[in-house]
Amino acid sequence: MEIKQITGDINKTEADAIILGVFEDDETNDIEKDLDKALGGTIAALRKSKEIKGKSSELTVIHTLGKIKSAKAAVLGLGKKKDFDATKLRSAMADACRCLQRKNNLKLALTLPDTGLTTYEVARVVAEAAYLGGYSFRKHLTKAADYGDLKCMTVIFKEKIEKSSFEMGAKRGEIVAQATILARDLANEPSNHMTPEDLADAAHQVARESGLKIEILERRDMEKLGMGGLLGVSQASKDINPPKLIMMRYKGREGEGWDLALVGKGLTFDSGGVSIKPSEKMEEMKFDMSGGAATIAAMGAIGKLKLDINVIAAVPATENMPDGAAFKPGDVLKMFTGKTVEVISTDAEGRLILADALGYINKEKPKVIVDMATLTGACVIALGNITTAAITNNQPLMDKVIKAGTSAGERIWQLPAYDEYRDQYKSDYADIKNVGGRPAGTITAGLFLSEFIGDTPWVHLDIAGTAWGDKDKGHLTKGGSGVPVATLVNLAEMLAQE
Ligand code: BES
Ligand code: MN
Ligand code: ZN
């Protein structure tokens, strides 16, 4: 897809449709007036009859019948001017692109009223919307799609703008959107096509494309290192789909040390194991590797953007299956750090594999760690699929992560992490146990992870609700969402600028 800009008159622009952004509470912009005039007063009439209100994502398609060069004018509501920001633009534009994508090689143009956003922001957000709005996962469908693809998106500016700002924004948007799409593709793949080995292969390809170092730790390496958590969870699959610990490294600055460590849960299918899950909706547990997918994809984007930062990443990848060889409730596992864990439920497996990955990456003494995981059903109950839950041991880092999320349009809500909650996972048979009961399930799961990282500043993101959506809305589409790729890239960018 081509994202470009021109300065000039909308009536001269050639496109299948020109999108005209309008505010709900501000009809005074010149561009709207010009287009309305060219269309013989249609827009004003529709405004008057309240068919065009300007509400967010409202799209009114007007056939121009030769009055202007492009065949359609699509009036896109942007909501109230005072509420407008980059997130609103991304969302409305993604909805508009999805609606208009009825034919192949579609060319769209966009013109906006005065939004207060910089040229860079407009370009970045429009690029993200153009790529993400029309996404769908069709890999295993043999039937052709009944909608087309977007070939070109032109942003029309009234006045001359700084071309390089636009190009930088568009490039940035494109890289992040493509990384998000990769994370979506990986998550949407069913587990028979996305085994730990497949996930490692995908990481290899990312590493090749983005110039990252990659290393895959095999089962025997895990045995040598004493990774009882990852080994325990993967025990039932060891001969069929053995576990992998995917390690990726990006060096963007001179000198040693890691400025950021990313750890993502790569559970390629979570049946619950011996503590087996109910079968209803079990198919959705193919997306239990979304944290790992986001980690791999974000590493690729960070490499492509050549950010001035050193980042290390770990993705523990395994299935969680029942089998004669499976680990069982009551088992005691010795983790990489030496801590012992009593298994209460084999379905609380995410924290076991993450514990080893966190302990292992912490040996490299990263300045900060961010982990992301579809960790608890409790998180979905608490926050639905709108908001990611977060836990931290370091408030300044948490504040940065939330800020990075806000500008990515990915909402994050911090939960308390008081030490009192730790009592819930005390065990009589081991140092700790892997379940802290039903109350505050997301918090105790997060605190469990903190047992393996010492004092390193850390944020845990529970993406159990946000990694997956059940409808197309804004830049989010049905299935894997790619959350929190954009947050991670923003965060890396913020840390690189420190
Ligand atoms: N992968 C699940 C969490 C999950 C559930 C994600 C639903 C998305 C939707 C995780 O491994 C799990 O099974 N957690 C258990 C923990 C419990 C046994 C303490 C849960 O939340 O039920
Ligand atoms: Mn589970
Ligand atoms: Zn799981």
Side-chain angles (χ1 to χ4, degrees):
M1 192 192 313
E2 196 186 358
I3 312 277
K4 59 181 192 185
Q5 56 84 32
I6 60 164
T7 310
D9 186 345
I10 39 173
N11 300 335
K12 294 196 187 105
T13 309
E14 214 163 336
D16 297 298
I18 289 195
I19 301 169
L20 170 76
V22 299
F23 287 120
E24 200 176 325
D25 49 353
D26 179 17
E27 300 180 20
T28 57
N29 82 79
D30 291 348
I31 311 164
E32 183 174 341
K33 277 192 194 137
D34 287 353
L35 186 60
D36 186 48
K37 207 166 143 199
L39 296 177
T42 316
I43 298 174
L46 288 167
R47 278 268 204 193
K48 204 166 165 224
S49 67
K50 299 268 181 268
E51 270 171 79
I52 293 178
K53 291 201 192 81
K55 289 219 181 298
S56 237
S57 288
E58 168 200 270
L59 192 73
T60 311
V61 180
I62 300 167
H63 292 255
T64 65
L65 306 173
K67 291 192 192 99
I68 62 171
K69 255 198 176 170
S70 97
K72 290 174 193 166
V75 183
L76 173 64
L78 302 173
K80 292 210 168 72
K81 194 167 179 176
K82 66 168 175 38
D83 300 332
F84 188 76
D85 59 11
T87 298
K88 291 264 158 53
L89 177 59
R90 186 192 294 104
S91 182
M93 270 304 284
D95 281 332
C97 291
R98 186 163 50 243
C99 276
L100 293 167
Q101 256 164 266
R102 294 274 184 268
K103 59 172 264 212
N104 276 327
N105 297 322
L106 187 74
K107 287 185 191 158
L108 295 177
L110 164 70
T111 172
L112 291 170
D114 191 9
T115 59
L117 298 177
T118 63
T119 304
Y120 176 88
E121 274 178 308
V122 168
R124 172 168 81 85
V125 166
V126 168
E128 287 172 0
Y131 278 97
L132 296 174
Y135 172 85
S136 70
F137 184 70
R138 303 190 49 88
K139 197 178 144 201
H140 302 292
L141 303 187
T142 55
K143 196 172 127 238
D146 58 1
Y147 54 85
D149 63 323
L150 193 52
K151 189 182 174 202
C152 179
M153 171 67 76
T154 308
V155 184
I156 310 165
F157 291 92
K158 259 218 117 161
E159 270 129 41
K160 257 215 147 17
I161 48 117
E162 202 170 324
K163 210 173 151 213
S164 64
S165 307
F166 184 91
E167 277 162 6
M168 270 161 58
K171 187 81 210 150
R172 171 70 159 66
E174 184 181 358
I175 288 173
V176 175
Q178 280 172 343
T180 304
I181 284 173
L182 171 67
R184 288 180 183 179
D185 282 343
L186 296 175
N188 285 327
E189 256 330 334
S191 73
N192 62 329
H193 292 270
M194 190 46 60
T195 63
E197 188 174 2
D198 292 322
L199 193 58
D201 288 348
H204 262 290
Q205 197 179 327
V206 167
R208 247 192 325 273
E209 285 167 11
S210 294
L212 315 174
K213 285 223 172 75
I214 180 164
E215 179 195 2
I216 311 290
L217 274 61
E218 304 289 343
R219 219 185 112 80
R220 58 181 177 279
D221 303 313
M222 297 165 201
E223 274 163 0
K224 269 186 225 140
L225 291 163
M227 295 183 161
L230 189 44
L231 286 167
V233 173
S234 62
Q235 224 163 264
S237 301
K238 67 176 187 300
D239 301 319
I240 309 157
N241 289 312
K244 310 274 171 187
L245 178 57
I246 304 164
M247 298 297 303
M248 300 174 93
R249 292 174 171 87
Y250 165 71
K251 289 201 140 195
R253 65 162 173 83
E254 298 280 316
E256 296 301 303
W258 304 105
D259 306 300
L260 171 63
L262 301 177
V263 178
K265 174 176 174 183
L267 214 295
T268 57
F269 188 75
D270 182 12
S271 71
V274 169
S275 315
I276 198 160
K277 286 182 180 295
S279 56
E280 189 172 320
K281 294 263 169 90
M282 202 203 263
E283 72 278 8
E284 290 186 356
M285 283 302 124
K286 67 175 185 176
F287 85 89
D288 213 15
M289 34 58 71
S290 295
T295 300
I296 292 166
M299 286 300 282
I302 290 166
K304 277 194 187 145
L305 290 165
K306 299 200 176 11
L307 297 183
D308 194 9
I309 185 175
N310 291 349
V311 191
I312 182 168
V315 176
T318 177
E319 298 181 333
N320 183 23
M321 296 295 284
D323 176 271
F327 79 133
K328 301 179 283 297
D331 286 1
V332 172
L333 308 174
K334 195 176 183 77
M335 314 299 272
F336 172 77
T337 61
K339 239 180 215 168
T340 56
V341 178
E342 180 194 3
V343 177
I344 299 299
S345 169
T346 62
D347 197 13
E349 84 299 336
R351 63 198 80 182
L352 298 173
I353 67 170
L354 287 168
D356 280 341
L358 286 164
Y360 186 65
I361 216 163
N362 197 42
K363 285 267 177 210
E364 305 246 4
K365 296 197 169 35
K367 285 190 198 136
V368 306
I369 303 178
V370 176
D371 81 73
M372 60 237 76
T374 45
L375 204 61
T376 63
C379 180
V380 191
I381 300 300
L383 300 176
N385 58 14
I386 311 290
T387 312
T388 293
I391 295 278
T392 190
N393 62 2
N394 185 287
Q395 199 56 42
L397 178 64
M398 181 84 257
D399 294 342
K400 283 178 207 165
V401 173
I402 290 175
K403 198 169 160 212
T406 303
S407 88
E410 298 178 340
R411 293 191 184 99
I412 297 167
W413 195 260
Q414 182 179 1
L415 298 180
Y418 303 120
D419 279 331
E420 285 88 331
Y421 288 111
R422 295 183 195 272
D423 293 346
Q424 288 179 226
Y425 57 75
K426 275 188 186 153
S427 163
D428 293 330
Y429 296 97
D431 296 335
I432 49 177
K433 58 187 180 185
N434 77 333
V435 173
R438 279 163 62 88
T442 304
I443 297 173
T444 54
L447 286 174
F448 179 97
L449 300 179
S450 75
E451 301 281 337
F452 300 89
I453 43 112
D455 295 327
T456 310
W458 153 87
V459 165
H460 157 65
L461 299 173
D462 194 329
I463 56 169
T466 49
W468 186 264
D470 57 2
K471 60 173 184 292
D472 293 342
K473 173 99 184 70
H475 71 292
L476 296 173
T477 48
K478 229 180 236 172
S481 65
V483 170
V485 170
T487 301
L488 298 176
V489 178
N490 282 351
L491 177 69
E493 197 170 58
M494 279 161 65
L495 296 176
Q497 278 159 9
E498 271 177 7

